[in-house]
Amino acid sequence: MSEPTGKAYTPGKGRPTPKRTANSRPRNVTAAATPTDKKAMRAKMREERSRAYEGMRRGEEKYLSPRDKGPVRRLVRDLVDARRNVGSYFLIGALAVLLFSQPQWPSAVRFGANILWLLLIVAILADVFLISRLIRKNVRERFPNAPDKLGGLTFYGVMRSVQFRRMRTPGPQVKIGEKV
């Protein structure tokens, strides 16, 4: 019987692959983690993550993400957190508009919901304009050589102002009405 030839043929096959001894990696039995080591390691990692999360919520610089680090970003956060923002109330107003614009309501109620929607949009635009001016003025005044672009800082402040105060990360460091 002749051996097959061709492209799909591998010479020496047709039998089980021999067990590797010389070319295989040596098993390091001592380095294998026992189940108790894994549990301890997981508990330690869990505690480190919770400590880092709490540090980030408190605004500690070493736990902040690169997006939030630096004195300029802290100033922007404090400026936004020290005032009441329309964006925080936008979701509640949008929910009211959604509820009262349903067809089962009388046309006067639906008209009122549309007016409320228009007022919300105008209020948001005015608030964004005011936040933008506040951020630009204070950053130029306190950090004239800041490497951050003012447009990016303004966007950072506006996005923070739209979030509910309790859900902002890092958490607010100043009270509403406090001088920054």
Side-chain angles (χ1 to χ4, degrees):
M1 180 173 179
S2 68
E3 287 191 34
T5 58
K7 205 172 192 178
Y9 174 71
T10 305
K13 285 299 191 180
R15 57 182 165 70
T17 304
K19 291 185 178 176
R20 298 180 183 192
T21 54
N23 295 335
S24 65
R25 287 190 312 198
R27 291 183 62 200
N28 190 353
V29 179
T30 58
T34 61
T36 56
D37 290 342
K38 285 183 181 179
K39 286 181 184 178
M41 187 173 64
R42 283 187 193 132
K44 182 180 175 187
M45 292 298 290
R46 190 178 314 118
E47 193 208 300
E48 285 178 14
R49 278 192 304 269
S50 68
R51 189 178 330 115
Y53 178 75
E54 287 303 316
M56 182 182 59
R57 290 286 303 155
R58 285 190 304 272
E60 294 177 24
E61 189 75 19
K62 72 176 186 177
Y63 294 116
L64 294 178
S65 65
R67 174 194 71 183
D68 299 320
K69 282 187 178 181
V72 180
R73 296 286 173 136
R74 182 173 183 94
L75 173 67
V76 171
R77 284 195 306 271
D78 290 346
L79 289 170
V80 170
D81 293 340
R83 63 189 295 271
R84 292 203 185 273
N85 301 299
V86 176
S88 300
Y89 304 107
F90 179 76
L91 190 59
I92 297 166
L95 184 63
V97 168
L98 182 68
L99 289 175
F100 294 119
S101 63
Q102 298 297 317
Q104 70 261 21
W105 291 98
S107 61
V109 174
R110 290 193 313 248
F111 180 73
N114 287 335
I115 296 298
L116 177 63
W117 185 246
L118 181 65
L119 290 175
L120 278 172
I121 291 173
V122 169
I124 285 283
L125 291 175
D127 196 40
V128 165
F129 176 74
L130 292 175
I131 289 172
S132 172
R133 283 188 48 205
L134 179 73
I135 290 172
R136 287 174 189 268
K137 177 186 166 216
N138 281 289
V139 168
R140 282 184 186 142
E141 184 179 292
R142 296 182 193 182
F143 299 100
N145 298 326
D148 296 324
K149 295 181 181 176
L150 288 175
L153 292 172
T154 301
F155 184 74
Y156 178 72
V158 167
M159 294 311 292
R160 186 169 177 87
S161 74
V162 174
Q163 297 172 345
F164 289 119
R165 186 173 172 87
R166 289 185 181 172
M167 298 178 81
R168 293 177 186 165
T169 304
Q173 304 295 311
V174 295
K175 294 181 179 164
I176 294 176
E178 195 174 313
K179 192 79 172 162
V180 178

